[in-house]
Amino acid sequence: YKPGSYPIKVVARDHEYEVEFTVLLNVAESSCVADFQGKNIILSYDDSPLSDYQLILPIHRVLDIPGEIGVNTDRIFEISNNDRHITINQLLELKQAGFEILSHGAGHHPLSKATLLKPVRSGEAELRTNLDSLYLNAWKTDYEWILSGGAERESIDIITSRSSGDDSYIELVMPLINSFPAYSVFYPSEIGMDIEMLQSRKILEHYDLGARHISYPFGLSDDFTVGFSRRYGYETGRDAIPHVNRFAVETLYIDSIPDPFEIASLDFAYLSEEFLNDKLSKSDSPNQFIIFFSHSWDPNLTEAKLYKLVEIAKKNGFQFTTRSESLNLTCSRLE
């Protein structure tokens, strides 16, 4: 249900007696507005590899700065049984050291819509789509996806996906019932969003790790993603600007954040010293907010680069913080 009030018919039975009545179901949705004071930088690390604990934690301890860790709950060692992934106890140690733990989804699948550029016909079980390669892992999910376009909407179960040249192919368990025009959209089902966004948060909360905020897998979001973020009670969401687009960024946030569920961030593993000096010294505003993200498994993220970023930031009056510490959030619920 979307936020609002809905009449629900209830039937109560007790042996031979039956009573029927109507109740009003009130659906609420969280909505937060954020502002901040001072010059704030957050260092955010995604995907929850073991290197977050082995590499990032010791450096942050020496530098005496906090950060945030975006966790894919399916990858936690106790769930994945993969020794390249971080453990619950290691995440708790990161939290005790000043890191904020947040959700990065369950299985690291895209949570936004993709557009199909080519029409598909009823009876076809292979979709030639031009989908971004990020969506090629959709077949690994345990839930169905939705194909929607024109007047049609249909659940699809994916066997596998592959790429060939500029095109992507999605193979379905069953042929399509309906035909879909070009520019139809493809996105996770509501059950899928529940698994990726709500269940991942509940797992982190179960282990007292928090998860007030979310960093979207692949840094992708749209109105669909943001709607679920609000519904599931997150307070902010983080997108990612690809490093190839970094020169289009004048500044990140000065004085205000337009939408706390679509906070932009830059991958600092690919930023030069000259770029950082330019961006962090460009504005005279006393109030700024920046999230730099990266991945501790990325060979471009070196100890020297991290030390240099901190040096440049402090020289320009920035403090290192977390989202919950730096953002003044005013949240309400629609009743």
Side-chain angles (χ1 to χ4, degrees), residues 105-265:
H108 204 279
H109 299 293
L111 304 179
S112 58
K113 294 179 179 178
T115 301
L116 309 187
L117 299 183
K118 299 182 181 299
V120 290
R121 296 177 180 177
S122 172
E124 292 186 15
E126 183 177 82
L127 314 182
R128 186 167 177 256
T129 64
N130 278 14
L131 277 178
D132 189 293
S133 60
L134 301 179
Y135 288 82
L136 290 178
N137 287 326
W139 65 274
K140 296 181 180 180
T141 61
D142 294 328
Y143 46 82
E144 292 184 328
W145 292 63
I146 303 298
L147 186 57
S148 177
E152 305 298 344
R153 184 178 184 274
E154 186 171 338
S155 296
I156 55 175
D157 196 358
I158 302 170
I159 298 176
T160 189
S161 308
R162 71 182 192 279
S163 246
S164 177
D166 293 332
D167 291 317
S168 302
Y169 297 85
I170 297 175
E171 297 181 17
L172 308 180
V173 173
M174 298 290 292
L176 287 174
I177 298 172
N178 303 292
S179 297
F180 292 86
Y183 307 113
S184 296
V185 290
F186 172 80
Y187 52 90
S189 64
E190 187 155 339
I191 291 173
M193 297 299 279
D194 184 275
I195 291 170
E196 297 292 339
M197 300 186 75
L198 181 59
Q199 298 308 316
S200 66
R201 180 182 177 186
K202 287 184 175 180
I203 289 170
L204 294 173
E205 288 175 340
H206 173 75
Y207 290 105
D208 194 29
L209 289 167
R212 293 170 57 184
H213 313 280
I214 187 168
S215 288
Y216 305 118
F218 304 106
L220 298 173
S221 74
D222 53 23
D223 58 344
F224 175 75
T225 325
V226 168
F228 277 95
S229 299
R230 293 178 184 275
R231 181 189 303 185
Y232 292 145
Y234 289 103
E235 296 175 9
T236 71
R238 196 210 79 202
D239 292 319
I241 299 172
H243 68 273
V244 294
N245 295 340
R246 63 192 181 277
F247 295 112
V249 178
E250 289 299 320
T251 55
L252 287 177
Y253 293 100
I254 297 174
D255 296 331
S256 67
I257 295 176
D259 186 341
F261 289 93
E262 293 186 308
I263 299 175
S265 61

Side-chain angles (χ1 to χ4, degrees), residues 33-42 236 251-260 263-264 283 285-291 318-319 321-330:
V33 176
D35 63 9
F36 54 88
Q37 291 184 338
K39 292 186 173 184
N40 306 278
I41 286 183
I42 297 171
T236 71
T251 55
L252 287 177
Y253 293 100
I254 297 174
D255 296 331
S256 67
I257 295 176
D259 186 341
I263 299 175
S283 173
S285 172
N287 299 317
Q288 297 186 48
F289 179 86
I290 297 174
I291 297 182
F318 283 88
Q319 62 180 350
T321 181
T322 66
R323 285 192 224 180
S324 291
E325 290 171 346
S326 57
L327 292 179
N328 301 316
L329 290 167
T330 304

Side-chain angles (χ1 to χ4, degrees), residues 60-79:
H60 274 247
R61 277 179 166 157
V62 171
L63 292 169
D64 193 27
I65 59 172
E68 65 178 30
I69 301 292
V71 178
N72 295 114
T73 50
D74 284 355
R75 295 180 176 180
I76 294 173
F77 172 76
E78 284 81 356
I79 297 173

Side-chain angles (χ1 to χ4, degrees), residues 24-52:
L24 203 60
L25 173 66
N26 292 310
V27 179
E29 177 181 281
S30 180
S31 179
C32 300
V33 176
D35 63 9
F36 54 88
Q37 291 184 338
K39 292 186 173 184
N40 306 278
I41 286 183
I42 297 171
L43 297 183
S44 185
Y45 305 93
D46 286 344
D47 303 351
S48 50
L50 181 58
S51 50
D52 282 356

